[in-house]
Amino acid sequence: MADGRALCGAKTRNGGTCRKAPLAGATRCANHGGKSPKAQAKARERLAVQAAEREVARLGARRDIHPAEALLELVHWTAGEVDYWRARVVDLADTNEDALTWGRSSETDKGSGEFPGTETTSEAAPNIAYRMLTDASNRLAAYAAAALKAGVDERRVRLAESQGQLVAEVIRGILADLQLTPEQQTLVGTVVPTRLRQLAAEGASR
């Protein structure tokens, strides 16, 4: 960032950093990999998330809700998140077991020397789907425990969990029937959880 403006930041041949603005939704400029198919797919994903966040902020409105109901609401949509990310992790493991533990860790621009282009480095690290599953699972456990501690009937907590899982299952079925392109599939991991939260909020306000 410079004066509030995002910068590309890629390493240049003279050892400095690129101060050009990245392409829309991307983290690099056109000269440093911002136009690559992978970078553009990620850019579209970021733009879709930003659009969803703006939409939620635009539609969101303050409402009165009992703390116990708020906790059940959190249990509801977080259970959907857990179910969704668990399915993604299983799919990754079935496709390529290394996908869960191996991925790109850095990217360096090599300029226009003898072997110009972008050099990528990979290392052992948990896949984003696994990290999202772990995060959602921890939050679900915390919300469920808090709901029970607040005196919410255990049956209602379990019902909220099952409802969230059912919603996630329906969404996965719809996505499978649509036969999405690889580019569209990259948006699913961010758009679906956002819409699950919005669905839960709308349902509780009725």
Side-chain angles (χ1 to χ4, degrees):
M1 300 290 290
D3 300 325
R5 179 173 61 90
L7 299 177
C8 171
K11 291 182 181 179
T12 59
R13 283 178 294 176
N14 61 10
T17 56
C18 177
R19 297 183 62 81
K20 291 183 179 180
L23 297 177
T27 58
R28 292 286 185 261
C29 69
N31 294 336
H32 293 114
K35 283 186 175 181
S36 70
K38 193 168 186 177
Q40 282 296 293
K42 287 290 185 182
R44 285 191 291 272
E45 179 179 340
R46 293 188 190 96
L47 292 174
V49 172
Q50 293 170 8
E53 290 175 343
R54 288 194 299 269
E55 185 70 5
V56 171
R58 183 179 71 83
L59 296 175
R62 181 173 178 174
R63 58 190 172 89
D64 294 327
I65 183 171
H66 189 278
E69 294 300 324
L71 285 170
L72 283 175
E73 185 177 297
L74 290 171
V75 170
H76 184 144
W77 64 257
T78 308
E81 280 192 85
V82 169
D83 195 63
Y84 173 79
W85 287 116
R86 183 182 292 120
R88 289 289 300 273
V89 166
V90 170
D91 289 343
L92 282 170
D94 288 343
T95 303
N96 179 7
E97 60 181 16
D98 290 336
L100 291 177
T101 56
W102 194 264
R104 186 175 65 177
S105 61
S106 65
E107 179 179 288
T108 303
D109 175 58
K110 299 179 65 176
S112 57
E114 183 179 0
F115 301 102
T118 301
E119 182 178 82
T120 60
T121 302
S122 297
E123 65 179 14
N127 184 278
I128 182 62
Y130 182 78
R131 296 201 299 271
M132 294 297 288
L133 172 60
T134 301
D135 175 68
S137 297
N138 290 337
R139 285 186 286 111
L140 176 58
Y143 295 148
L148 292 172
K149 185 176 180 180
V152 178
D153 182 80
E154 183 176 355
R155 183 187 63 81
R156 295 183 66 194
V157 175
R158 299 292 173 254
L159 178 61
E161 290 178 338
S162 64
Q163 288 174 337
Q165 293 166 357
L166 178 61
V167 170
E169 183 177 345
V170 170
I171 290 175
R172 286 202 309 275
I174 293 173
L175 295 175
D177 291 341
L178 289 175
Q179 298 181 338
L180 302 179
T181 65
E183 291 183 352
Q184 291 170 328
Q185 290 175 10
T186 62
L187 302 177
V188 173
T190 49
V191 173
V192 169
T194 298
R195 292 305 182 186
L196 280 173
R197 299 185 189 108
Q198 186 178 359
L199 175 64
E202 292 176 351
S205 64
R206 293 177 181 175

